[in-house]
Amino acid sequence: MTDLFDEARQRLDRAAEHLDIHDDVMEQLRYPKETLAATLPVRMDDGSTRSFKAWRCRYDDTRGPTKGGIRFHPNVNIDEVMTLAFWMTFKCAVANLPYGGGKGGVAVDVKHLSRTELERLSRAYVQAFARFIGPERDVPAPDMYTNGIVMAWMADEYSKMADAPTPAVITGKPIALGGSQGRDDATGRGGYYVLRHLEKELGVAPEKSRVVLQGFGNASFHCARLLHDDGYKVVGLSDSRSAIYDPDGIDPHAAMAHKRKSGALAGAKGNGATKDLTNAELLEAECDVLVPAALENQITASNAEKIQAPVIVELANGPTMPEADPILAKAGKTVIPDILANSGGVTVSYFEWVQNKSGFYWDADEVHRRLKQTIAPEAERIWAMRKKKDIDMRTAAYVHALERIAEAVDARGTQDYFNPDG
Ligand code: NAD
């Protein structure tokens, strides 16, 4: 087992310390339920055949079919897939979705594939894993370097094999093929609902608080524009090449228009004397809320002490390294953890699956209403757990999720039920 997977299990052990959990539950959650590895031979445009390693893991399905994205990345490996499937088990439980956790991946650099090669690879993935996935069994979604069209090819391939249109096998599809309204901004919107719901507790408010966001992609842009439209002052933004900071505020709509026109965030102007910063400087810039929304491992043991924001909202997956957590806690910072802050994405994926299964489609307002109704009470419960047990928000989120998973395992009987005198 790798460090990554061991680290995940250590988080599980730490959460368990705060609950009276039966050993049976911990035994079940210590290992993935099943992981399938395959080799995908793909015909390249020049007529040659290349083989790609691929995996899919169903970590735990006690609470329902497993759910999680498929990642196309050169560094994907079995341990990463298992670890991400483990996190998905907890994220789905945090949002109280009737799902377990899963994940998939292919070791490939998509930048070296043509579009036709990418299509053949996507279809080959479904051919290899068709008996493993399924609308009632394991429901994939997009992840790094997979998107709506990849999901469309995969759903089509599965439907051909099943000899019937089966849109519910996968989520994150284009709207024309059964995708959900409101999926595009769901992750940023979910983080926005969490922050707004906990405003009083966190001591932040529109017209008063300044926000810095790292990244200016899907999750970050939507969160930035929603907060800005409500009166928060967005003072910092970045993309992979540059970062801008303006204490007088930046309009994210104008910054996005600039990025779309020029191809980069660099050069976008705020309301005052806009400064260029490095990405590292942006994380440490003066603000009230910091939203890491780009990459993992951005807040580390070396920069945690320099972070000024009292509130950190993790829209990215894993932006804070485990060793930075105690430093942030000691400095009195509140971290809204990724498994809560970015759970809007998987929540609306669940709505897509529900709509596909029922054949009845909702408008965007309905999706937003249901998302808010799902995520806001969970934020409140996790905040209450944090206070009750005097723990940080991340631990509270894990404890909250573990409690739900344990309840489901318990409901089928543990040792105490089968051998009460034992
Ligand atoms: P995206 O590709 O749309 O945007 C990523 C942004 O990060 C881009 O603006 C890019 O320029 C920027 N970036 C890349 N390298 C950077 C660097 N070194 N420094 C600063 N910025 C950099 O991706 P996204 O969908 O917005 O995902 C962002 C994060 O949110 C990821 O961690 C992802 O796992 C997580 N997330 C996304 C979703 C979703 O539904 N989109 C759901 C859950 C979690």
Side-chain angles (χ1 to χ4, degrees), residues 71 91 143-144 183-184 186-187 214-220 238-242 259 279 293-296 298 315-318 342-343 345-346:
R71 175 172 286 202
K91 195 182 288 186
D143 196 82
M144 272 161 82
R183 177 62 187 88
D184 53 342
T187 302
Q214 185 195 37
F216 199 45
N218 175 287
S220 169
S238 67
D239 66 6
S240 58
R241 282 170 287 176
S242 58
K259 187 172 160 96
N279 243 299
L295 305 167
E296 64 278 9
Q298 295 302 292
L315 275 191
N317 278 317
N342 71 28
S343 65
V346 70

PDB file of all heavy atoms in Angstrom, residues 71 91 143-144 183-184 186-187 214-220 238-242 259 279 293-296 298 315-318 342-343 345-346, ligand 1:
ATOM      1  N   ARG A  71     -10.521   9.538 -14.466  1.00  0.00           N
ATOM      2  CA  ARG A  71      -9.437  10.489 -14.671  1.00  0.00           C
ATOM      3  C   ARG A  71      -8.523   9.973 -15.783  1.00  0.00           C
ATOM      4  O   ARG A  71      -8.151   8.795 -15.764  1.00  0.00           O
ATOM      5  CB  ARG A  71      -8.696  10.562 -13.332  1.00  0.00           C
ATOM      6  CG  ARG A  71      -7.467  11.378 -13.298  1.00  0.00           C
ATOM      7  CD  ARG A  71      -6.982  11.487 -11.855  1.00  0.00           C
ATOM      8  NE  ARG A  71      -7.827  12.405 -11.089  1.00  0.00           N
ATOM      9  CZ  ARG A  71      -7.434  13.016  -9.969  1.00  0.00           C
ATOM     10  NH1 ARG A  71      -6.233  12.772  -9.476  1.00  0.00           N
ATOM     11  NH2 ARG A  71      -8.253  13.840  -9.330  1.00  0.00           N
ATOM     12  N   LYS A  91     -17.318  11.580   0.706  1.00  0.00           N
ATOM     13  CA  LYS A  91     -17.982  12.770   0.164  1.00  0.00           C
ATOM     14  C   LYS A  91     -19.472  12.496  -0.065  1.00  0.00           C
ATOM     15  O   LYS A  91     -20.326  13.330   0.238  1.00  0.00           O
ATOM     16  CB  LYS A  91     -17.314  13.212  -1.143  1.00  0.00           C
ATOM     17  CG  LYS A  91     -17.702  14.615  -1.546  1.00  0.00           C
ATOM     18  CD  LYS A  91     -17.090  15.036  -2.870  1.00  0.00           C
ATOM     19  CE  LYS A  91     -15.611  15.289  -2.776  1.00  0.00           C
ATOM     20  NZ  LYS A  91     -15.064  15.838  -4.024  1.00  0.00           N
ATOM     21  N   ASP A 143     -13.653  13.647 -14.600  1.00  0.00           N
ATOM     22  CA  ASP A 143     -12.636  14.038 -13.619  1.00  0.00           C
ATOM     23  C   ASP A 143     -11.538  14.720 -14.441  1.00  0.00           C
ATOM     24  O   ASP A 143     -11.798  15.173 -15.551  1.00  0.00           O
ATOM     25  CB  ASP A 143     -12.136  12.798 -12.860  1.00  0.00           C
ATOM     26  CG  ASP A 143     -11.391  13.141 -11.596  1.00  0.00           C
ATOM     27  OD1 ASP A 143     -12.033  13.389 -10.567  1.00  0.00           O
ATOM     28  OD2 ASP A 143     -10.143  13.179 -11.610  1.00  0.00           O
ATOM     29  N   MET A 144     -10.308  14.738 -13.939  1.00  0.00           N
ATOM     30  CA  MET A 144      -9.241  15.439 -14.661  1.00  0.00           C
ATOM     31  C   MET A 144      -9.110  14.928 -16.096  1.00  0.00           C
ATOM     32  O   MET A 144      -8.970  13.712 -16.313  1.00  0.00           O
ATOM     33  CB  MET A 144      -7.912  15.205 -13.945  1.00  0.00           C
ATOM     34  CG  MET A 144      -7.643  16.225 -12.872  1.00  0.00           C
ATOM     35  SD  MET A 144      -6.416  15.618 -11.731  1.00  0.00           S
ATOM     36  CE  MET A 144      -4.942  15.989 -12.584  1.00  0.00           C
ATOM     37  N   ARG A 183     -25.464  21.645 -13.826  1.00  0.00           N
ATOM     38  CA  ARG A 183     -24.278  20.854 -13.483  1.00  0.00           C
ATOM     39  C   ARG A 183     -23.015  21.685 -13.689  1.00  0.00           C
ATOM     40  O   ARG A 183     -22.039  21.518 -12.973  1.00  0.00           O
ATOM     41  CB  ARG A 183     -24.218  19.565 -14.326  1.00  0.00           C
ATOM     42  CG  ARG A 183     -22.968  18.701 -14.082  1.00  0.00           C
ATOM     43  CD  ARG A 183     -22.897  18.197 -12.651  1.00  0.00           C
ATOM     44  NE  ARG A 183     -21.650  17.493 -12.320  1.00  0.00           N
ATOM     45  CZ  ARG A 183     -20.542  18.077 -11.868  1.00  0.00           C
ATOM     46  NH1 ARG A 183     -20.496  19.394 -11.707  1.00  0.00           N
ATOM     47  NH2 ARG A 183     -19.482  17.367 -11.549  1.00  0.00           N
ATOM     48  N   ASP A 184     -23.058  22.622 -14.673  1.00  0.00           N
ATOM     49  CA  ASP A 184     -21.844  23.381 -15.006  1.00  0.00           C
ATOM     50  C   ASP A 184     -21.348  24.214 -13.828  1.00  0.00           C
ATOM     51  O   ASP A 184     -20.157  24.286 -13.572  1.00  0.00           O
ATOM     52  CB  ASP A 184     -22.072  24.260 -16.256  1.00  0.00           C
ATOM     53  CG  ASP A 184     -23.298  25.151 -16.115  1.00  0.00           C
ATOM     54  OD1 ASP A 184     -24.147  24.861 -15.251  1.00  0.00           O
ATOM     55  OD2 ASP A 184     -23.401  26.156 -16.858  1.00  0.00           O
ATOM     56  N   ALA A 186     -22.276  23.722 -10.563  1.00  0.00           N
ATOM     57  CA  ALA A 186     -22.677  23.086  -9.300  1.00  0.00           C
ATOM     58  C   ALA A 186     -21.579  23.117  -8.219  1.00  0.00           C
ATOM     59  O   ALA A 186     -21.883  23.344  -7.039  1.00  0.00           O
ATOM     60  CB  ALA A 186     -23.089  21.635  -9.562  1.00  0.00           C
ATOM     61  N   THR A 187     -20.335  22.934  -8.615  1.00  0.00           N
ATOM     62  CA  THR A 187     -19.266  22.859  -7.607  1.00  0.00           C
ATOM     63  C   THR A 187     -19.032  24.227  -6.973  1.00  0.00           C
ATOM     64  O   THR A 187     -19.026  24.366  -5.736  1.00  0.00           O
ATOM     65  CB  THR A 187     -17.981  22.299  -8.246  1.00  0.00           C
ATOM     66  OG1 THR A 187     -18.302  21.022  -8.783  1.00  0.00           O
ATOM     67  CG2 THR A 187     -16.865  22.162  -7.238  1.00  0.00           C
ATOM     68  N   GLN A 214      -7.810  30.971  -5.800  1.00  0.00           N
ATOM     69  CA  GLN A 214      -6.711  30.434  -6.608  1.00  0.00           C
ATOM     70  C   GLN A 214      -7.309  29.591  -7.720  1.00  0.00           C
ATOM     71  O   GLN A 214      -8.053  28.635  -7.460  1.00  0.00           O
ATOM     72  CB  GLN A 214      -5.780  29.548  -5.768  1.00  0.00           C
ATOM     73  CG  GLN A 214      -4.571  29.097  -6.597  1.00  0.00           C
ATOM     74  CD  GLN A 214      -3.798  27.950  -5.974  1.00  0.00           C
ATOM     75  OE1 GLN A 214      -4.399  27.055  -5.380  1.00  0.00           O
ATOM     76  NE2 GLN A 214      -2.491  27.971  -6.109  1.00  0.00           N
ATOM     77  N   GLY A 215      -6.993  29.921  -8.975  1.00  0.00           N
ATOM     78  CA  GLY A 215      -7.595  29.243 -10.122  1.00  0.00           C
ATOM     79  C   GLY A 215      -8.685  30.139 -10.686  1.00  0.00           C
ATOM     80  O   GLY A 215      -9.247  30.984  -9.971  1.00  0.00           O
ATOM     81  N   PHE A 216      -8.949  29.975 -11.982  1.00  0.00           N
ATOM     82  CA  PHE A 216     -10.047  30.741 -12.583  1.00  0.00           C
ATOM     83  C   PHE A 216     -10.709  29.855 -13.637  1.00  0.00           C
ATOM     84  O   PHE A 216     -10.920  30.242 -14.766  1.00  0.00           O
ATOM     85  CB  PHE A 216      -9.506  32.059 -13.179  1.00  0.00           C
ATOM     86  CG  PHE A 216     -10.582  33.086 -13.397  1.00  0.00           C
ATOM     87  CD1 PHE A 216     -11.547  33.331 -12.422  1.00  0.00           C
ATOM     88  CD2 PHE A 216     -10.633  33.827 -14.571  1.00  0.00           C
ATOM     89  CE1 PHE A 216     -12.544  34.280 -12.627  1.00  0.00           C
ATOM     90  CE2 PHE A 216     -11.618  34.784 -14.775  1.00  0.00           C
ATOM     91  CZ  PHE A 216     -12.577  35.002 -13.800  1.00  0.00           C
ATOM     92  N   GLY A 217     -11.015  28.615 -13.208  1.00  0.00           N
ATOM     93  CA  GLY A 217     -11.669  27.654 -14.091  1.00  0.00           C
ATOM     94  C   GLY A 217     -13.106  27.474 -13.666  1.00  0.00           C
ATOM     95  O   GLY A 217     -13.733  28.385 -13.109  1.00  0.00           O
ATOM     96  N   ASN A 218     -13.635  26.281 -13.885  1.00  0.00           N
ATOM     97  CA  ASN A 218     -15.052  26.026 -13.644  1.00  0.00           C
ATOM     98  C   ASN A 218     -15.454  26.315 -12.194  1.00  0.00           C
ATOM     99  O   ASN A 218     -16.327  27.149 -11.932  1.00  0.00           O
ATOM    100  CB  ASN A 218     -15.348  24.574 -14.037  1.00  0.00           C
ATOM    101  CG  ASN A 218     -16.760  24.178 -13.699  1.00  0.00           C
ATOM    102  OD1 ASN A 218     -17.091  23.990 -12.540  1.00  0.00           O
ATOM    103  ND2 ASN A 218     -17.613  24.077 -14.697  1.00  0.00           N
ATOM    104  N   ALA A 219     -14.808  25.645 -11.248  1.00  0.00           N
ATOM    105  CA  ALA A 219     -15.211  25.762  -9.841  1.00  0.00           C
ATOM    106  C   ALA A 219     -15.011  27.199  -9.351  1.00  0.00           C
ATOM    107  O   ALA A 219     -15.899  27.808  -8.742  1.00  0.00           O
ATOM    108  CB  ALA A 219     -14.403  24.788  -8.995  1.00  0.00           C
ATOM    109  N   SER A 220     -13.849  27.754  -9.648  1.00  0.00           N
ATOM    110  CA  SER A 220     -13.484  29.071  -9.134  1.00  0.00           C
ATOM    111  C   SER A 220     -14.337  30.186  -9.726  1.00  0.00           C
ATOM    112  O   SER A 220     -14.854  31.047  -9.000  1.00  0.00           O
ATOM    113  CB  SER A 220     -12.010  29.315  -9.457  1.00  0.00           C
ATOM    114  OG  SER A 220     -11.681  30.632  -9.211  1.00  0.00           O
ATOM    115  N   SER A 238      -6.319  33.847  -9.915  1.00  0.00           N
ATOM    116  CA  SER A 238      -5.128  33.391 -10.625  1.00  0.00           C
ATOM    117  C   SER A 238      -5.494  32.330 -11.637  1.00  0.00           C
ATOM    118  O   SER A 238      -6.558  31.726 -11.561  1.00  0.00           O
ATOM    119  CB  SER A 238      -4.105  32.819  -9.635  1.00  0.00           C
ATOM    120  OG  SER A 238      -4.601  31.642  -9.048  1.00  0.00           O
ATOM    121  N   ASP A 239      -4.595  32.120 -12.614  1.00  0.00           N
ATOM    122  CA  ASP A 239      -4.702  30.923 -13.441  1.00  0.00           C
ATOM    123  C   ASP A 239      -3.321  30.271 -13.450  1.00  0.00           C
ATOM    124  O   ASP A 239      -2.460  30.647 -12.648  1.00  0.00           O
ATOM    125  CB  ASP A 239      -5.288  31.229 -14.830  1.00  0.00           C
ATOM    126  CG  ASP A 239      -4.391  32.108 -15.687  1.00  0.00           C
ATOM    127  OD1 ASP A 239      -3.257  32.401 -15.261  1.00  0.00           O
ATOM    128  OD2 ASP A 239      -4.839  32.504 -16.772  1.00  0.00           O
ATOM    129  N   SER A 240      -3.089  29.316 -14.342  1.00  0.00           N
ATOM    130  CA  SER A 240      -1.824  28.579 -14.247  1.00  0.00           C
ATOM    131  C   SER A 240      -0.629  29.481 -14.545  1.00  0.00           C
ATOM    132  O   SER A 240       0.488  29.174 -14.160  1.00  0.00           O
ATOM    133  CB  SER A 240      -1.841  27.391 -15.204  1.00  0.00           C
ATOM    134  OG  SER A 240      -2.062  27.843 -16.514  1.00  0.00           O
ATOM    135  N   ARG A 241      -0.867  30.603 -15.224  1.00  0.00           N
ATOM    136  CA  ARG A 241       0.270  31.440 -15.628  1.00  0.00           C
ATOM    137  C   ARG A 241       0.452  32.708 -14.808  1.00  0.00           C
ATOM    138  O   ARG A 241       1.546  33.257 -14.748  1.00  0.00           O
ATOM    139  CB  ARG A 241       0.144  31.800 -17.114  1.00  0.00           C
ATOM    140  CG  ARG A 241       0.563  30.629 -18.009  1.00  0.00           C
ATOM    141  CD  ARG A 241       0.217  30.871 -19.455  1.00  0.00           C
ATOM    142  NE  ARG A 241      -1.222  30.753 -19.679  1.00  0.00           N
ATOM    143  CZ  ARG A 241      -1.821  30.994 -20.828  1.00  0.00           C
ATOM    144  NH1 ARG A 241      -1.123  31.396 -21.858  1.00  0.00           N
ATOM    145  NH2 ARG A 241      -3.127  30.843 -20.960  1.00  0.00           N
ATOM    146  N   SER A 242      -0.622  33.216 -14.199  1.00  0.00           N
ATOM    147  CA  SER A 242      -0.461  34.505 -13.503  1.00  0.00           C
ATOM    148  C   SER A 242      -1.484  34.667 -12.388  1.00  0.00           C
ATOM    149  O   SER A 242      -2.446  33.892 -12.295  1.00  0.00           O
ATOM    150  CB  SER A 242      -0.619  35.650 -14.497  1.00  0.00           C
ATOM    151  OG  SER A 242      -1.883  35.538 -15.107  1.00  0.00           O
ATOM    152  N   LYS A 259     -10.322  37.054 -20.145  1.00  0.00           N
ATOM    153  CA  LYS A 259      -9.627  35.774 -20.340  1.00  0.00           C
ATOM    154  C   LYS A 259     -10.118  35.089 -21.628  1.00  0.00           C
ATOM    155  O   LYS A 259      -9.329  34.526 -22.383  1.00  0.00           O
ATOM    156  CB  LYS A 259      -9.849  34.868 -19.116  1.00  0.00           C
ATOM    157  CG  LYS A 259      -9.010  33.587 -19.164  1.00  0.00           C
ATOM    158  CD  LYS A 259      -9.088  32.791 -17.878  1.00  0.00           C
ATOM    159  CE  LYS A 259      -8.688  31.351 -18.120  1.00  0.00           C
ATOM    160  NZ  LYS A 259      -7.327  31.025 -17.835  1.00  0.00           N
ATOM    161  N   ASN A 279       1.604  33.056  -8.028  1.00  0.00           N
ATOM    162  CA  ASN A 279       0.575  32.221  -7.417  1.00  0.00           C
ATOM    163  C   ASN A 279       0.835  31.996  -5.936  1.00  0.00           C
ATOM    164  O   ASN A 279      -0.088  31.975  -5.125  1.00  0.00           O
ATOM    165  CB  ASN A 279       0.502  30.886  -8.152  1.00  0.00           C
ATOM    166  CG  ASN A 279      -0.848  30.733  -8.803  1.00  0.00           C
ATOM    167  OD1 ASN A 279      -1.859  30.719  -8.104  1.00  0.00           O
ATOM    168  ND2 ASN A 279      -0.881  30.663 -10.106  1.00  0.00           N
ATOM    169  N   ALA A 293      -8.898  26.732  -5.512  1.00  0.00           N
ATOM    170  CA  ALA A 293      -9.826  26.082  -6.455  1.00  0.00           C
ATOM    171  C   ALA A 293      -9.096  25.639  -7.710  1.00  0.00           C
ATOM    172  O   ALA A 293      -9.641  25.709  -8.808  1.00  0.00           O
ATOM    173  CB  ALA A 293     -10.964  27.036  -6.802  1.00  0.00           C
ATOM    174  N   ALA A 294      -7.832  25.221  -7.547  1.00  0.00           N
ATOM    175  CA  ALA A 294      -7.075  24.809  -8.737  1.00  0.00           C
ATOM    176  C   ALA A 294      -6.512  23.405  -8.583  1.00  0.00           C
ATOM    177  O   ALA A 294      -6.977  22.465  -9.231  1.00  0.00           O
ATOM    178  CB  ALA A 294      -5.965  25.812  -9.005  1.00  0.00           C
ATOM    179  N   LEU A 295      -5.539  23.270  -7.690  1.00  0.00           N
ATOM    180  CA  LEU A 295      -4.754  22.038  -7.639  1.00  0.00           C
ATOM    181  C   LEU A 295      -4.676  21.487  -6.216  1.00  0.00           C
ATOM    182  O   LEU A 295      -4.954  22.211  -5.255  1.00  0.00           O
ATOM    183  CB  LEU A 295      -3.306  22.339  -8.065  1.00  0.00           C
ATOM    184  CG  LEU A 295      -3.085  23.012  -9.412  1.00  0.00           C
ATOM    185  CD1 LEU A 295      -1.658  23.499  -9.503  1.00  0.00           C
ATOM    186  CD2 LEU A 295      -3.396  22.045 -10.536  1.00  0.00           C
ATOM    187  N   GLU A 296      -4.194  20.242  -6.109  1.00  0.00           N
ATOM    188  CA  GLU A 296      -3.965  19.675  -4.781  1.00  0.00           C
ATOM    189  C   GLU A 296      -2.624  20.175  -4.214  1.00  0.00           C
ATOM    190  O   GLU A 296      -1.813  20.742  -4.953  1.00  0.00           O
ATOM    191  CB  GLU A 296      -4.009  18.132  -4.813  1.00  0.00           C
ATOM    192  CG  GLU A 296      -2.936  17.454  -5.618  1.00  0.00           C
ATOM    193  CD  GLU A 296      -3.228  17.386  -7.103  1.00  0.00           C
ATOM    194  OE1 GLU A 296      -4.198  18.018  -7.587  1.00  0.00           O
ATOM    195  OE2 GLU A 296      -2.448  16.751  -7.809  1.00  0.00           O
ATOM    196  N   GLN A 298      -1.521  22.671  -2.235  1.00  0.00           N
ATOM    197  CA  GLN A 298      -1.113  24.076  -2.367  1.00  0.00           C
ATOM    198  C   GLN A 298      -0.766  24.700  -1.018  1.00  0.00           C
ATOM    199  O   GLN A 298       0.077  25.577  -0.928  1.00  0.00           O
ATOM    200  CB  GLN A 298      -2.245  24.886  -3.016  1.00  0.00           C
ATOM    201  CG  GLN A 298      -2.522  24.479  -4.431  1.00  0.00           C
ATOM    202  CD  GLN A 298      -1.289  24.626  -5.291  1.00  0.00           C
ATOM    203  OE1 GLN A 298      -0.831  25.724  -5.547  1.00  0.00           O
ATOM    204  NE2 GLN A 298      -0.714  23.512  -5.730  1.00  0.00           N
ATOM    205  N   LEU A 315     -12.372  24.464  -2.497  1.00  0.00           N
ATOM    206  CA  LEU A 315     -13.131  24.006  -3.667  1.00  0.00           C
ATOM    207  C   LEU A 315     -12.352  22.938  -4.431  1.00  0.00           C
ATOM    208  O   LEU A 315     -12.942  22.040  -5.028  1.00  0.00           O
ATOM    209  CB  LEU A 315     -13.427  25.182  -4.608  1.00  0.00           C
ATOM    210  CG  LEU A 315     -14.648  26.026  -4.325  1.00  0.00           C
ATOM    211  CD1 LEU A 315     -14.922  26.950  -5.504  1.00  0.00           C
ATOM    212  CD2 LEU A 315     -15.895  25.198  -4.045  1.00  0.00           C
ATOM    213  N   ALA A 316     -11.028  23.035  -4.445  1.00  0.00           N
ATOM    214  CA  ALA A 316     -10.207  21.998  -5.082  1.00  0.00           C
ATOM    215  C   ALA A 316     -10.228  20.744  -4.212  1.00  0.00           C
ATOM    216  O   ALA A 316     -10.567  20.813  -3.029  1.00  0.00           O
ATOM    217  CB  ALA A 316      -8.784  22.493  -5.250  1.00  0.00           C
ATOM    218  N   ASN A 317      -9.864  19.620  -4.803  1.00  0.00           N
ATOM    219  CA  ASN A 317      -9.703  18.392  -4.022  1.00  0.00           C
ATOM    220  C   ASN A 317      -8.308  18.359  -3.424  1.00  0.00           C
ATOM    221  O   ASN A 317      -7.320  18.529  -4.148  1.00  0.00           O
ATOM    222  CB  ASN A 317      -9.889  17.165  -4.928  1.00  0.00           C
ATOM    223  CG  ASN A 317     -11.346  16.828  -5.128  1.00  0.00           C
ATOM    224  OD1 ASN A 317     -12.129  16.857  -4.181  1.00  0.00           O
ATOM    225  ND2 ASN A 317     -11.728  16.522  -6.353  1.00  0.00           N
ATOM    226  N   GLY A 318      -8.221  18.203  -2.120  1.00  0.00           N
ATOM    227  CA  GLY A 318      -6.926  18.047  -1.448  1.00  0.00           C
ATOM    228  C   GLY A 318      -5.970  19.211  -1.583  1.00  0.00           C
ATOM    229  O   GLY A 318      -4.764  18.998  -1.728  1.00  0.00           O
ATOM    230  N   ASN A 342     -16.760  21.145  -1.875  1.00  0.00           N
ATOM    231  CA  ASN A 342     -16.957  20.903  -3.306  1.00  0.00           C
ATOM    232  C   ASN A 342     -17.946  19.770  -3.595  1.00  0.00           C
ATOM    233  O   ASN A 342     -18.012  19.273  -4.722  1.00  0.00           O
ATOM    234  CB  ASN A 342     -15.613  20.729  -4.042  1.00  0.00           C
ATOM    235  CG  ASN A 342     -14.904  19.424  -3.716  1.00  0.00           C
ATOM    236  OD1 ASN A 342     -15.534  18.415  -3.380  1.00  0.00           O
ATOM    237  ND2 ASN A 342     -13.592  19.409  -3.834  1.00  0.00           N
ATOM    238  N   SER A 343     -18.752  19.415  -2.603  1.00  0.00           N
ATOM    239  CA  SER A 343     -19.689  18.298  -2.806  1.00  0.00           C
ATOM    240  C   SER A 343     -20.893  18.689  -3.674  1.00  0.00           C
ATOM    241  O   SER A 343     -21.711  17.834  -4.019  1.00  0.00           O
ATOM    242  CB  SER A 343     -20.173  17.746  -1.456  1.00  0.00           C
ATOM    243  OG  SER A 343     -20.929  18.723  -0.770  1.00  0.00           O
ATOM    244  N   GLY A 345     -20.769  19.363  -6.741  1.00  0.00           N
ATOM    245  CA  GLY A 345     -20.598  18.692  -8.038  1.00  0.00           C
ATOM    246  C   GLY A 345     -21.225  17.312  -8.042  1.00  0.00           C
ATOM    247  O   GLY A 345     -22.067  16.987  -8.898  1.00  0.00           O
ATOM    248  N   VAL A 346     -20.872  16.502  -7.064  1.00  0.00           N
ATOM    249  CA  VAL A 346     -21.425  15.136  -7.031  1.00  0.00           C
ATOM    250  C   VAL A 346     -22.922  15.169  -6.696  1.00  0.00           C
ATOM    251  O   VAL A 346     -23.686  14.311  -7.147  1.00  0.00           O
ATOM    252  CB  VAL A 346     -20.620  14.205  -6.084  1.00  0.00           C
ATOM    253  CG1 VAL A 346     -20.798  14.551  -4.634  1.00  0.00           C
ATOM    254  CG2 VAL A 346     -21.011  12.740  -6.309  1.00  0.00           C
TER     255      VAL A 346
HETATM  256  P1  NAD B   1     -10.608  23.732 -14.398  1.00  0.00           P
HETATM  257  O1  NAD B   1      -9.645  23.033 -15.286  1.00  0.00           O
HETATM  258  O2  NAD B   1     -11.860  24.291 -14.973  1.00  0.00           O
HETATM  259  O3  NAD B   1      -9.850  24.964 -13.691  1.00  0.00           O
HETATM  260  C1  NAD B   1      -8.635  24.832 -13.054  1.00  0.00           C
HETATM  261  C2  NAD B   1      -8.030  26.232 -12.892  1.00  0.00           C
HETATM  262  O4  NAD B   1      -6.816  26.108 -12.173  1.00  0.00           O
HETATM  263  C3  NAD B   1      -7.711  26.912 -14.203  1.00  0.00           C
HETATM  264  O5  NAD B   1      -8.077  28.262 -14.109  1.00  0.00           O
HETATM  265  C4  NAD B   1      -6.193  26.802 -14.288  1.00  0.00           C
HETATM  266  O6  NAD B   1      -5.617  27.863 -15.033  1.00  0.00           O
HETATM  267  C5  NAD B   1      -5.845  26.902 -12.830  1.00  0.00           C
HETATM  268  N1  NAD B   1      -4.491  26.404 -12.541  1.00  0.00           N
HETATM  269  C6  NAD B   1      -3.842  25.342 -13.073  1.00  0.00           C
HETATM  270  N2  NAD B   1      -2.603  25.261 -12.559  1.00  0.00           N
HETATM  271  C7  NAD B   1      -2.493  26.282 -11.688  1.00  0.00           C
HETATM  272  C8  NAD B   1      -1.460  26.730 -10.846  1.00  0.00           C
HETATM  273  N3  NAD B   1      -0.257  26.127 -10.823  1.00  0.00           N
HETATM  274  N4  NAD B   1      -1.703  27.805 -10.058  1.00  0.00           N
HETATM  275  C9  NAD B   1      -2.899  28.440 -10.100  1.00  0.00           C
HETATM  276  N5  NAD B   1      -3.898  28.071 -10.887  1.00  0.00           N
HETATM  277  C10 NAD B   1      -3.706  27.012 -11.664  1.00  0.00           C
HETATM  278  O7  NAD B   1     -10.891  22.734 -13.204  1.00  0.00           O
HETATM  279  P2  NAD B   1     -12.101  22.743 -12.163  1.00  0.00           P
HETATM  280  O8  NAD B   1     -13.139  21.814 -12.653  1.00  0.00           O
HETATM  281  O9  NAD B   1     -12.451  24.137 -11.801  1.00  0.00           O
HETATM  282  O10 NAD B   1     -11.407  22.018 -10.930  1.00  0.00           O
HETATM  283  C11 NAD B   1     -10.593  22.733  -9.993  1.00  0.00           C
HETATM  284  C12 NAD B   1     -10.471  21.920  -8.738  1.00  0.00           C
HETATM  285  O11 NAD B   1     -11.781  21.661  -8.234  1.00  0.00           O
HETATM  286  C13 NAD B   1      -9.818  20.546  -8.894  1.00  0.00           C
HETATM  287  O12 NAD B   1      -9.092  20.250  -7.720  1.00  0.00           O
HETATM  288  C14 NAD B   1     -10.990  19.615  -9.000  1.00  0.00           C
HETATM  289  O13 NAD B   1     -10.667  18.286  -8.577  1.00  0.00           O
HETATM  290  C15 NAD B   1     -11.943  20.272  -8.035  1.00  0.00           C
HETATM  291  N6  NAD B   1     -13.331  19.852  -8.249  1.00  0.00           N
HETATM  292  C16 NAD B   1     -13.992  20.198  -9.390  1.00  0.00           C
HETATM  293  C17 NAD B   1     -15.285  19.748  -9.567  1.00  0.00           C
HETATM  294  C18 NAD B   1     -16.073  20.140 -10.781  1.00  0.00           C
HETATM  295  O14 NAD B   1     -17.260  19.783 -10.847  1.00  0.00           O
HETATM  296  N7  NAD B   1     -15.534  20.890 -11.726  1.00  0.00           N
HETATM  297  C19 NAD B   1     -15.908  18.949  -8.587  1.00  0.00           C
HETATM  298  C20 NAD B   1     -15.210  18.630  -7.416  1.00  0.00           C
HETATM  299  C21 NAD B   1     -13.910  19.091  -7.269  1.00  0.00           C
END
